[in-house]
Amino acid sequence: MQLFRMSKPTPTIKVMVVDDHDLVRHGIKSLINSQEGIEVIAEASSGEEAIEQCRALDGELNIIMMDINMPGMGGMEATRNISKRWPELGIIIVTIHGDGPLPKKLLKGGAKGYPSKGNNIEEITQAIRDVYAGGNYIAKDIAQNLALSLLPGEENIIDRLSQRELQVLMMIAHG
């Protein structure tokens, strides 16, 4: 007589998408939900809403896909606050800002992944799976920019700004 072992089902990775643009948020949600084993269970349009959702879904979420530029509390401050309160959550920054000081500041602030909005769904899915597994994910172009920023030479003045100063600078840049 042969016994069959039932394999344990793979858990579904539960994601929240945070972006202030409805079309972008719904597009990311649709793409993520088309991937096996990953499901978007929450959405938010600001950092404040993201924190509220984290409270409401305490223990349910695994990954947060976070935009940076949003009205009110932006993604940088929300990432810092969420990673302090819920360190088990993997925060992945999804933005068009792949160069400059932002990737370094966000990774220091608690982000675990940094693909860009220009990446395809396979790379976004890989970022989600890598961060869910406890690793990190940085898109190749962003990793290259980070590596180049470490080369000896003139220091970037933006690197010396505090989180709040950088947030104000970004708000000014966006009008």
Side-chain angles (χ1 to χ4, degrees), residues 135-155:
N136 295 303
Y137 181 92
I138 301 174
K140 290 177 186 171
D141 57 331
I142 295 170
Q144 182 178 9
N145 289 335
L146 282 171
L148 291 173
S149 74
L150 298 176
L151 293 175
E154 196 171 313
E155 180 186 19

Side-chain angles (χ1 to χ4, degrees), residues 17 19-31 43:
V17 178
D19 195 296
D20 60 322
H21 295 96
D22 285 341
L23 186 61
V24 172
R25 197 173 56 251
H26 293 298
I28 292 172
K29 177 182 175 180
S30 178
L31 288 170
E43 298 177 46

Side-chain angles (χ1 to χ4, degrees), residues 3-7:
L3 295 175
F4 292 96
R5 271 191 134 163
M6 302 265 308
S7 63

Side-chain angles (χ1 to χ4, degrees), residues 21-143:
H21 295 96
D22 285 341
L23 186 61
V24 172
R25 197 173 56 251
H26 293 298
I28 292 172
K29 177 182 175 180
S30 178
L31 288 170
I32 289 173
N33 282 339
S34 72
Q35 303 301 301
E36 189 174 324
I38 306 173
E39 178 185 9
V40 175
I41 64 166
E43 298 177 46
S45 61
S46 68
E48 293 90 351
E49 278 185 42
I51 291 171
E52 287 175 27
Q53 291 283 13
C54 287
R55 277 191 200 107
L57 296 166
D58 197 16
E60 294 293 316
L61 281 173
N62 305 118
I63 300 290
I64 299 173
M65 305 295 290
M66 179 80 71
D67 186 25
I68 296 174
N69 296 321
M70 295 180 286
M73 181 188 297
M76 189 176 303
E77 188 177 347
T79 296
R80 199 172 60 250
N81 289 335
I82 291 169
S83 65
K84 283 180 184 172
R85 173 110 189 244
W86 296 278
E88 71 281 0
L89 288 176
I91 301 174
I92 299 173
I93 302 300
V94 183
T95 183
I96 58 170
H97 302 289
D99 56 357
L102 289 179
K104 192 184 327 180
K105 291 247 185 212
L106 284 156
L107 292 167
K108 282 183 179 179
K112 303 288 187 210
Y114 207 113
S116 71
K117 285 184 178 174
N119 289 134
N120 60 35
I121 186 59
E122 288 79 21
E123 290 176 273
I124 299 294
T125 302
Q126 189 62 52
I128 291 170
R129 294 189 192 288
D130 286 357
V131 171
Y132 177 74
N136 295 303
Y137 181 92
I138 301 174
K140 290 177 186 171
D141 57 331
I142 295 170

